[in-house]
Amino acid sequence: HIIVCGHYECGGVGASLDRVDLASPLEEWVCNIRDVYRLHKEELDSIKSPEQRKRRLVELNAKEQAVNVYKAAVVQRRRVYTHMKTGLAQPKVHAVVFDPKTGLVKRINTFEGDDQIDELHEVYDLYDAKTAQQFWEGEDEYPKRENTPRKLFNRMPTGLSAGKKSVPLPASDDDE
């Protein structure tokens, strides 16, 4: 399991709402939170209370950062591998928010069985259990790409996408 934990009273979220240039390197960090605001602007702008708007932005930021972790190639590759070995795709990614005033943790999103996963498949090249199972049926180990540069190895193998036009994997890199 991977847990992405935001926290209420977050100074970065507060700074992102101030709309002032914070200078590097803080500006680059806060810019990501402002991107979350932009993605959810309609919802956030409808919240009249500045404190409630800030709290909701903390929640949405934790959720969006969990999405970023979920999309990461290394997470996607591991989900393919564990699905093939155990029948259960791991790791699961969870978004939570800690409230320092109460000491409680609020679960925001776990992705499993979530409509958001289907929405991600429409845009990103993500793990697809059915395609992976068809390709690796009978294989004991996740295929290694011995001749592939390390920086490319962490990308999803061609054909494991849940996209509408999944391309079959070649028998070897030489077949392309």
Side-chain angles (χ1 to χ4, degrees):
H1 295 272
I2 300 172
I3 297 173
V4 176
C5 183
H7 59 95
Y8 298 120
E9 312 301 322
C10 177
V13 169
S16 74
L17 292 170
D18 290 340
R19 294 185 176 100
V20 295
D21 187 353
L22 300 171
S24 190
L26 292 177
E27 183 60 31
E28 287 80 11
W29 177 55
V30 169
C31 184
N32 292 322
I33 302 169
R34 289 183 179 142
D35 286 341
V36 172
Y37 193 103
R38 178 180 46 81
L39 289 171
H40 301 277
K41 186 174 185 343
E42 186 175 326
E43 175 187 350
L44 291 166
D45 286 349
S46 72
I47 301 172
K48 300 300 179 208
S49 164
E51 184 58 32
Q52 288 304 314
R53 185 179 311 119
K54 181 178 172 183
R55 289 176 66 87
R56 182 62 180 145
L57 182 54
V58 166
E59 294 169 358
L60 291 169
N61 187 53
K63 183 176 181 176
E64 291 296 334
Q65 299 320 315
V67 168
N68 288 336
V69 170
Y70 183 85
K71 294 182 312 190
V74 68
V75 171
Q76 291 297 303
R77 290 181 69 82
R78 185 66 183 175
R79 289 179 61 80
V80 169
Y81 177 76
T82 58
H83 176 80
M84 296 312 303
K85 295 297 271 183
T86 68
L88 181 63
Q90 296 284 345
K92 292 185 179 182
V93 180
H94 308 275
V96 299
V97 175
F98 173 70
D99 188 342
K101 288 182 180 178
T102 65
L104 298 176
V105 174
K106 177 180 179 180
R107 176 184 269 177
I108 303 299
N109 193 350
T110 60
F111 293 102
E112 297 305 318
D114 203 359
D115 289 339
Q116 187 177 17
I117 292 297
D118 292 334
E119 291 173 19
L120 291 175
H121 281 295
E122 292 175 8
V123 178
Y124 300 100
D125 187 27
L126 299 177
Y127 150 83
D128 175 41
K130 289 178 186 174
T131 306
Q133 187 168 3
Q134 289 170 358
F135 181 75
W136 280 300
E137 196 168 332
E139 294 286 331
D140 290 334
E141 294 292 326
Y142 189 81
K144 303 277 190 257
R145 291 187 176 184
E146 304 300 332
N147 300 324
T148 304
R150 183 117 176 104
K151 67 181 180 177
L152 297 178
F153 183 72
N154 282 336
R155 297 190 55 179
M156 282 297 294
T158 304
L160 291 183
S161 165
K164 293 181 177 144
K165 293 186 179 178
S166 187
V167 178
L169 288 166
S172 73
D173 289 340
D174 299 331
D175 293 345
E176 294 185 294

